[in-house]
């Protein structure tokens, strides 16, 4: 199917759906200036994920891992929501989207105005002390300290999910409910290679939903779990779809 045909088909599918949910990945924030992980120039080209993103590495040498975390924090705090984030927020405001399940920790959906955001991999905006359990907002902590520390002296950990850690149970439960309860899932800007997030679209299918994927390139879901794949930039495709379905 050519892209024009695929776009019309997506508009038709979304128009017909009653309960649309979205699953987003790093690709939705690329047009906000936040690099993804596995694309060209992605974060995992610069940092070996097993050296920097595994919980064992953090525990062994938090100061080293904080070099990457600080860089991510600078990028994310400079970034603003792009038209894709804003269009999803508009879709929710107009009653067409029930929830966004995001693998991103950048808070850009919330800053765009989305209310029901399920942070599957946590958030960079909060930190917790692994020793005493005290929680901090990002603005309460001196991130230039090497590493940032809790009042008890322990290195603080941002509330992001490292490899080797469990998905926050409430986020997992809400994501499962959302996937099983939707009748159409938009899967935007994820390579769908990191489980269990990569299994969420298949769960939606099991609940009877259709899956429409938006990505620059084919992924693990293309031609398998996805009923339809739109190849393009999220910041262009999502606003187009929302306006075509809901009007200006
Ligand atoms: P990836 O970097 O694996 O995939 C990003 C996807 O977005 C790729 O498929 C790109 O083709 C696509 N993409 C890039 N720019 C785009 C654009 N402008 N419009 C549409 N699509 C675009 O990121 P994720 O799938 O989110 O987890 O990665 C999943 C998890 O792996 C992350 O949450 C993180 C990482 O390790 C943890 O750290 C636990």
């Amino acid at each position: 199917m050519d892209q024009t045909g695929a776009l019309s088909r997506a508009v038709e599918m979304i128009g017909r759906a009653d309960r649309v949910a979205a699953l987003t990945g790093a690709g939705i924030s690329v047009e906000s200036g936040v690099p993804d992980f596995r694309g060209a120039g992605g974060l995992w080209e610069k940092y070996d994920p097993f050296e920097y993103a595994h919980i064992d590495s953090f525990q062994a040498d938090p100061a080293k891992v904080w070099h990457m975390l600080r860089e991510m924090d600078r990028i994310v705090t400079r970034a603003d929501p792009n038209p894709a984030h804003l269009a999803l927020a508009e879709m929710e405001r107009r009653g067409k989207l029930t929830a966004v399940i995001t693998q991103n920790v950048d808070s850009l959906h919330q800053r765009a105005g989305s209310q029901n955001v399920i942070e599957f991999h946590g958030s960079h905006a909060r930190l917790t002390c692994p020793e005493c359990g005290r929680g901090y907002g990002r603005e309460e902590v001196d991130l230039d300290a090497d590493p940032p520390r809790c009042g008890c002296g322990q290195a603080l950990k941002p509330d992001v999910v490292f490899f080797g850690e469990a998905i926050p149970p409430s986020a997992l439960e809400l994501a499962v409910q959302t996937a099983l309860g939707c009748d159409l899932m938009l899967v935007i800007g994820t390579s769908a290679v990191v489980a269990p997030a990569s299994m969420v679209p298949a769960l939606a299918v099991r609940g009877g939903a259709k899956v429409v994927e938006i990505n620059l390139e084919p992924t693990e879901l293309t031609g398998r779990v996805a009923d339809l794949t739109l190849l393009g930039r999220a910041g262009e495709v999502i606003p187009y779809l929302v306006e075509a379905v809901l009007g200006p």
Side-chain angles (χ1 to χ4, degrees):
M1 196 186 292
D2 65 28
Q3 284 300 293
T4 317
L7 276 169
S8 322
R9 175 113 181 79
V11 170
E12 202 182 292
M13 288 166 79
I14 299 166
R16 261 205 315 264
D18 290 322
R19 296 175 315 280
V20 182
L23 170 70
T24 64
I28 197 169
S29 296
V30 166
E31 290 160 73
S32 293
V34 182
D36 63 9
F37 296 94
R38 294 173 183 81
L43 203 67
W44 297 157
E45 245 176 33
K46 187 164 172 190
Y47 294 103
D48 176 347
F50 288 97
E51 227 181 292
Y52 283 89
H54 198 285
I55 188 61
D56 294 346
S57 316
F58 182 82
Q59 283 163 352
D61 192 348
K64 175 178 165 179
V65 172
W66 263 106
H67 284 290
M68 178 196 74
L69 293 172
R70 208 173 282 116
E71 179 176 332
M72 275 177 78
D73 182 79
R74 287 201 183 111
I75 292 169
V76 162
T77 44
R78 271 203 312 262
D80 287 316
N82 68 53
H85 299 104
L86 294 168
L88 289 181
E90 176 69 8
M91 217 174 155
E92 181 187 331
R93 251 192 311 275
R94 295 173 71 173
K96 192 73 187 176
L97 185 76
T98 57
V100 177
I101 305 165
T102 188
Q103 295 165 82
N104 302 341
V105 298
D106 56 24
S107 309
L108 290 178
H109 286 298
Q110 291 92 329
R111 286 179 48 205
S114 285
Q115 303 282 324
N116 194 12
V117 181
I118 301 164
E119 294 181 310
F120 204 80
H121 288 161
S123 168
H124 92 116
R126 301 179 300 271
L127 302 96
T128 303
C129 174
E131 185 65 28
C132 71
R134 179 164 168 201
Y136 294 83
R138 184 200 164 279
E139 61 296 335
E140 295 176 81
V141 174
D142 174 14
L143 288 190
D144 289 329
D146 203 15
R149 290 189 187 278
C150 177
C152 80
Q154 185 72 21
L156 283 169
K157 180 184 164 295
D159 287 2
V160 302
V161 176
F162 281 65
F163 288 113
E165 284 193 302
I167 303 303
S170 60
L172 185 60
E173 195 185 319
L174 284 170
V176 169
Q177 277 171 15
T178 301
L180 289 174
C182 70
D183 60 0
L184 187 133
M185 179 169 276
L186 299 171
V187 180
I188 307 164
T190 177
S191 58
V193 295
V194 175
S198 58
M199 284 139 62
V200 170
L203 206 58
V205 170
R206 202 184 309 159
K210 299 282 182 204
V211 170
V212 175
E213 178 184 39
I214 297 99
N215 200 299
L216 288 182
E217 58 189 26
T219 72
E220 296 294 312
L221 305 174
T222 310
R224 298 179 192 157
V225 174
D227 294 283
L228 186 63
T229 296
L230 304 175
L231 296 177
R233 289 153 65 100
E236 291 164 8
V237 176
I238 307 298
Y240 172 85
L241 292 175
V242 173
E243 185 165 340
V245 172
L246 297 174

